[in-house]
Amino acid sequence: MNKVNSMATTNINNPSMAQLLLGIPSQQKLGLMVAVAATVALLAGLWMWGQTPDYRVLYANMSERDGGAVIESLQQQNIPYKFAEGGGALMVPSDRVHEVRLKMAAQGLPKGGTTGFELMENQKFGTSQFLEQVNFQRALEGELARSVQSMASVANARIHLAIPKPSVFVKDKQKPTASVVLSLYAGRSLDEGQVNAIVHLVSSSVPNMPAQNVTVVDQSGTLLSAARDGNHQILDASQLKYVRQIELDYVKRIEDILSPITGIQNVRAQVTASLDFTTTEQTSELYKPNQPPNQAAVRSMQSTEALDGVRTAGGVPGALTNQPPVPATAPIVSPATALPATGANAPAADKTHKAQTTNYEVDRTIQHTKLPTGNIKRLSVAVVLNNRNVADKDGKIVSTPYTEQEKAQIASLIKEAVGFEDQRGDTLNLLNSAFNDTTEALPEIPIWKQTEIIELAKDIVKYLLIIGGVFFLLFGIIRPAFKSAAEFSPTPEHAGGGESEEGGNMGYGQPMSAAHAYENNLQIAKQLAKDDPKIVATVVKEWVNKE
């Protein structure tokens, strides 16, 4: 019985969660339920906010057709997306930007605002030749624009082709021309080599289009293609690159030959090269003086002999005199005409005339010469030497300049290294001075302006807010509610009992004597069983389970 009384006393003095909830008034129960629901909602909201990814721009300035195709593909892949306010850019989670771009590129999205050769796939039957030509030109312009847009600095490109109609007359033939309008990304630009690449790309894609007929401008209206003088380009990027390479090669030669003497960091050199890029072609035909006859090559020689006077037919008449003449020949040496026979029967002759003509070959030389371009016209060399560090008598390092003899030897080395020529007008300026080693340190970026620190601070603030909200709900709402429920206990008036025999109020928290402890606990247990038999049943059930 004592065991039962002690367990009853324990359960009454230390009520369980169910007892606490049953002992709370209805108004406090409603407030506690609202507080718990608000806590759960706040925790869920904080968790969802913490799990919300950071969105970044996937594509911007897309056409409506491309935007619809991209959104459809994102929906099929269950990739979340949203639109940026004001700019209309399509945004996806930052950790999936590159993945989504690769997937879109595999699908050929976005196709861009231009139309390429897919325009020729939907040709209708009966289309006129003029419309076919127009569609082909539009398709070619679109394909060229796509090729130019593939460059990293180009955001958008438009190309206009002016292709003249073919003509059978040579004087009416015209070369096609092209205009390229580029929209560059903010903060980016194209160098001369990239512009020339665009020019040659367009000119090589259109038949009979020379490179000088292509004009390239940017979105600001700045002419990017190099200025031209007639059919010749005034400024060529390849020539400038060649000049720069020549100058750097000479600088390296100077530093390599002087570094063992002065040290790597104790010599500075600059070379300015003036090159001649003039293209010259020369054709000459030379005739040598007449050579001796015995060394000359005979081209042709002709000899003739004539006899003046009366001649009579001679010989025996017969068939031989009626034969046709022998075919004429033209040998180098013509045979002399046979003289008439002499004798008693020969007629008399007055005189004989002989002539001989000899033609010799003319000695000549035809020479075609094309002079090379890029010849060096003049070199200007400037070299600065740092003073030497020499230990004095006391062992202290002292900066000492070079002597005039040493400077003359160094100048001779430099001339030999660069191929110095006085006849060409080359110049050399050698200066010996102490270097200023003090360098200004670049200002460091404040820690609150560093991108990594800003991102880290955002994450820390986010998680601190989540943790603070959890602690506030636990220790500011839930714990006070349960604490007030634990402190609440029914008085004898609440339990239906009156005063004790001594006239004292029998509450849970009031002290009582040992003689009346058993009776007091018994009365309380009876009254509790009468008012709320569920609690008694729960206590008995716990006893049985423990037994």
Side-chain angles (χ1 to χ4, degrees):
M1 189 66 180
N2 293 331
K3 181 178 180 181
V4 173
N5 292 333
S6 62
M7 294 183 64
T9 304
T10 303
N11 284 276
I12 293 174
N13 293 331
N14 299 304
S16 63
M17 182 66 67
Q19 295 173 352
L20 290 175
L21 293 176
L22 292 173
I24 297 176
S26 301
Q27 294 181 353
Q28 292 187 3
K29 287 181 180 179
L30 180 61
L32 183 60
M33 292 175 62
V34 172
V36 172
T39 301
V40 173
L42 183 58
L43 289 175
L46 292 175
W47 182 81
M48 294 177 63
W49 178 60
Q51 295 296 323
T52 301
D54 183 19
Y55 281 81
R56 292 189 180 181
V57 176
L58 177 65
Y59 296 115
N61 300 325
M62 288 190 303
S63 62
E64 295 180 356
R65 179 180 301 177
D66 287 341
V70 171
I71 290 176
E72 182 180 0
S73 178
L74 292 177
Q75 292 175 349
Q76 293 176 355
Q77 301 177 28
N78 296 325
I79 298 176
Y81 65 90
K82 66 178 182 179
F83 291 95
E85 297 181 358
L90 184 62
M91 305 178 70
V92 296
S94 59
D95 56 344
R96 305 191 65 179
V97 171
H98 300 289
E99 175 188 356
V100 174
R101 285 180 179 174
L102 292 176
K103 290 182 179 179
M104 294 299 161
Q107 300 177 10
L109 296 174
K111 296 181 179 179
T114 58
T115 305
F117 280 115
E118 63 270 13
L119 185 64
M120 308 296 295
E121 297 176 357
N122 299 322
Q123 291 290 335
K124 298 181 180 179
F125 181 75
T127 304
S128 62
Q129 184 179 1
F130 173 77
L131 185 58
E132 289 181 353
Q133 184 64 29
V134 172
N135 290 338
F136 175 76
Q137 183 170 337
R138 288 178 55 195
L140 183 59
E141 291 175 352
E143 292 294 336
L144 290 175
R146 290 178 181 177
S147 300
V148 175
Q149 289 176 7
S150 62
M151 301 181 68
S153 300
V154 179
N156 191 17
R158 295 192 65 186
I159 298 179
H160 306 279
L161 300 178
I163 303 177
K165 295 181 179 179
S167 176
V168 296
F169 301 100
V170 177
K171 64 178 182 179
D172 294 337
K173 288 185 177 180
Q174 298 179 359
K175 298 292 184 180
T177 58
S179 301
V180 182
V181 182
L182 302 178
S183 296
L184 305 179
Y185 287 108
R188 297 189 182 183
S189 61
L190 297 177
D191 56 21
E192 190 68 22
Q194 293 173 319
V195 175
N196 287 333
I198 295 175
V199 170
H200 287 83
L201 172 66
V202 176
S203 63
S204 301
S205 303
V206 181
N208 301 324
M209 178 182 288
Q212 59 266 20
N213 285 7
V214 180
T215 303
V216 182
V217 297
D218 61 3
Q219 69 269 27
S220 302
T222 304
L223 180 64
L224 300 181
S225 55
R228 302 175 186 277
D229 182 12
N231 294 329
H232 301 283
Q233 186 173 348
I234 294 177
L235 187 61
D236 190 353
S238 60
Q239 295 177 358
L240 293 177
K241 183 178 180 180
Y242 177 72
V243 174
R244 182 59 179 167
Q245 187 64 36
I246 291 293
E247 294 174 349
L248 292 177
D249 182 58
Y250 281 128
V251 170
K252 187 176 184 303
R253 291 184 184 181
I254 296 172
E255 292 179 351
D256 289 345
I257 198 171
L258 296 183
S259 295
I261 301 175
T262 62
I264 299 177
Q265 301 296 331
N266 295 326
V267 58
R268 298 290 186 273
Q270 290 294 330
V271 177
T272 302
S274 177
L275 276 67
D276 184 12
F277 291 100
T278 304
T279 303
T280 304
E281 294 184 2
Q282 181 180 356
T283 303
S284 60
E285 186 173 355
L286 305 176
Y287 293 89
K288 294 182 178 179
N290 295 333
Q291 63 272 32
N294 57 350
Q295 297 181 2
V298 178
R299 182 178 184 181
S300 64
M301 184 173 60
Q302 183 179 3
S303 300
T304 60
E305 183 177 353
L307 178 64
D308 296 338
V310 181
R311 297 184 60 186
T312 59
V316 179
L320 295 178
T321 58
N322 296 327
Q323 291 181 352
V326 180
T329 58
I332 295 179
V333 179
S334 300
T337 306
L339 297 177
T342 58
N345 297 327
D350 292 337
K351 64 178 181 178
T352 301
H353 177 72
K354 293 182 179 180
Q356 184 176 358
T357 303
T358 303
N359 296 324
Y360 296 95
E361 290 287 351
V362 179
D363 190 1
R364 66 173 183 173
T365 302
I366 299 176
Q367 183 178 5
H368 182 77
T369 305
K370 184 176 182 180
L371 300 179
T373 60
N375 295 326
I376 298 177
K377 297 191 299 184
R378 187 171 179 269
L379 287 179
S380 299
V381 183
V383 180
V384 180
L385 300 177
N386 191 15
N387 290 341
R388 294 179 299 177
N389 294 327
V390 181
D392 57 3
K393 298 180 179 178
D394 300 332
K396 185 178 180 180
I397 303 299
V398 180
S399 178
T400 305
Y402 289 90
T403 62
E404 294 297 330
Q405 182 179 1
E406 292 174 340
K407 292 169 60 177
Q409 294 177 352
I410 292 175
S412 178
L413 287 176
I414 296 173
K415 291 182 178 181
E416 293 293 335
V418 301
F420 191 90
E421 295 183 7
D422 293 329
Q423 298 82 2
R424 195 169 54 189
D426 297 348
T427 59
L428 171 62
N429 189 358
L430 180 61
L431 176 64
N432 179 207
S433 177
F435 285 4
N436 186 6
D437 295 334
T438 58
T439 57
E440 296 182 359
L442 296 177
E444 295 184 358
I445 301 177
I447 190 173
W448 61 85
K449 291 185 179 181
Q450 298 179 5
T451 306
E452 297 80 3
I453 301 300
I454 294 174
E455 295 295 333
L456 180 60
K458 288 181 179 179
D459 295 337
I460 292 175
V461 171
K462 180 188 295 185
Y463 291 112
L464 286 178
L465 289 177
I466 295 175
I467 295 173
V470 172
F471 274 93
F472 173 75
L473 293 174
L474 291 177
F475 298 99
I477 297 177
I478 299 177
R479 183 179 179 183
F482 281 99
K483 185 177 181 180
S484 61
E487 292 176 353
F488 177 80
S489 59
T491 62
E493 291 78 11
H494 295 104
E499 296 182 352
S500 63
E501 294 179 357
E502 287 76 14
N505 189 12
M506 294 185 298
Y508 284 136
Q510 295 180 353
M512 58 186 64
S513 62
H516 299 88
Y518 176 76
E519 294 293 336
N520 187 26
N521 291 334
L522 182 60
Q523 293 295 332
I524 293 174
K526 291 179 178 180
Q527 187 65 32
L528 182 62
K530 181 180 180 180
D531 294 341
D532 198 348
K534 293 182 179 180
I535 296 178
V536 177
T538 303
V539 173
V540 174
K541 185 177 181 180
E542 290 181 0
W543 289 349
V544 173
N545 292 333
K546 289 182 179 179
E547 291 296 334

